[in-house]
Every structure is written in C-alpha cells, then in structure tokens.
C-alpha cells in the first residue's frame, strides 16, 4: 500500500512540473539531474522562492531597493551562501518536490546537488530582482 501511495505521489509531482528544454547530449549524470529535476522544480517553485527572499529582504535589509543593482546582486549572493536558515529553507523548497528516486539520488549526492540548487536559485533571484519590490 505504501509503495502505491509513493508511486501516485511521484506521478502527480511529474505531472505538475513545467517542461524545461535543455541540451541532453553528452551530459553527466549530475547535469542530467540538474536539467531534468532541479530546473523544472525551481521553475515551478519560482513564486515561492521570490516570496521567501522578498520576506527575508523586508526583515533583514529593508533598504535593499535603494541599493545600486551591483550591490543588490552581491547581497543576494552573500545571503544565499552565508545565511544557513535562508539557504536551507530554499533547498527544502526544491527537495520537497522530488520523487522518491530523485530523493535517493539527492541523498547520495547531497553536497553537489545543494550547491547546484543554491547556484540556480541565486541566478533566478538575480534575474528577477524587480519582482522583489
């Protein structure tokens, strides 16, 4: 019964993920995981990622929008790399939407996958800074 429920959950997760086109020729297993799992999940989670970071900025750096763009870019990078609460919250937003097999891959490759999740989220926030305010 439990396996059936997990299978249903995995099927539902795969159905709600947006399609993200990427080059697949010659990619490593980690690159394939990033392109087939992380990018679609983060695209799906885009609104919550921006909302989380926006709330963080309001709480810890209310003058963020007064900064010049280069300072904002640096601030985003620093926060995501140096604040473990923010970083772990963002990582959890991605991990929670993985299928069981993806989660198993994640557990084996946790450090590398976490680095990729953080890098992708940083880029995503930096590319959409105007959505933060």
């Amino acid at each position: 019964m439990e396996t059936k429920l997990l299978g249903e959950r995995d099927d539902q997760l795969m159905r709600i993920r947006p399609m993200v086109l990427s080059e697949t020729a010659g990619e490593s297993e980690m690159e394939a995981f990033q392109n087939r799992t992380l990018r679609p999940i983060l695209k799906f989670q885009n609104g919550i990622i921006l909302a989380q970071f926006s709330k963080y900025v309001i709480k810890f750096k209310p003058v963020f929008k007064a900064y010049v763009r280069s300072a904002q870019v640096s601030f985003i990078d620093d926060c995501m790399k140096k604040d473990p609460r923010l970083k772990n919250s963002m990582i959890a937003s991605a991990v929670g939407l993985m299928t069981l097999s993806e989660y198993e891959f994640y557990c084996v490759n946790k450090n590398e996958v976490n680095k990729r999740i953080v890098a992708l989220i940083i880029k995503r926030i930096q590319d959409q800074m105007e959505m933060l305010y």
Side-chain angles (χ1 to χ4, degrees):
M1 182 70 159
E2 197 171 300
T3 304
K4 183 179 180 200
L5 292 176
L6 287 174
E8 289 175 14
R9 178 187 180 277
D10 288 357
D11 291 342
Q12 291 172 357
L13 285 173
M14 296 306 287
R15 277 195 300 274
I16 64 171
R17 281 190 196 163
M19 296 296 294
V20 176
L21 300 176
S22 64
E23 180 62 40
T24 58
E27 64 186 4
S28 70
E29 186 177 27
M30 186 59 69
E31 290 169 329
F33 185 78
Q34 175 178 298
N35 291 330
R36 293 189 188 109
T37 301
L38 298 181
R39 288 185 187 280
I41 287 173
L42 295 177
K43 184 174 182 179
F44 180 77
Q45 290 291 82
N46 190 63
I48 195 75
I49 289 167
L50 293 175
Q52 280 180 288
F53 196 79
S54 181
K55 295 294 183 194
Y56 179 88
V57 166
I58 290 167
K59 184 173 182 178
F60 295 105
K61 265 310 181 209
V63 296
F64 175 80
K65 65 181 172 182
Y67 291 172
V68 296
R69 183 169 176 79
S70 61
Q72 290 175 335
V73 167
S74 294
F75 177 76
I76 292 165
D77 191 66
D78 288 345
C79 291
M80 283 298 299
K81 290 180 178 174
K82 295 179 181 172
D83 187 326
R85 289 176 301 164
L86 176 64
K87 181 170 83 171
N88 290 335
S89 174
M90 295 285 196
I91 290 170
S93 294
V95 174
L97 291 178
M98 290 180 185
T99 65
L100 183 58
S101 63
E102 291 166 344
Y103 180 71
E104 289 170 359
F105 180 88
Y106 169 78
C107 288
V108 172
N109 301 282
K110 189 174 187 173
N111 289 336
E112 178 62 25
V113 174
N114 283 347
K115 286 179 192 175
R116 288 177 184 254
I117 291 171
V118 169
L120 290 167
I121 288 174
I122 289 170
K123 179 76 170 125
R124 185 167 279 283
I125 295 169
Q126 289 172 340
D127 288 347
Q128 301 175 81
M129 282 191 303
E130 69 281 352
M131 303 296 285
L132 297 175
Y133 37 81

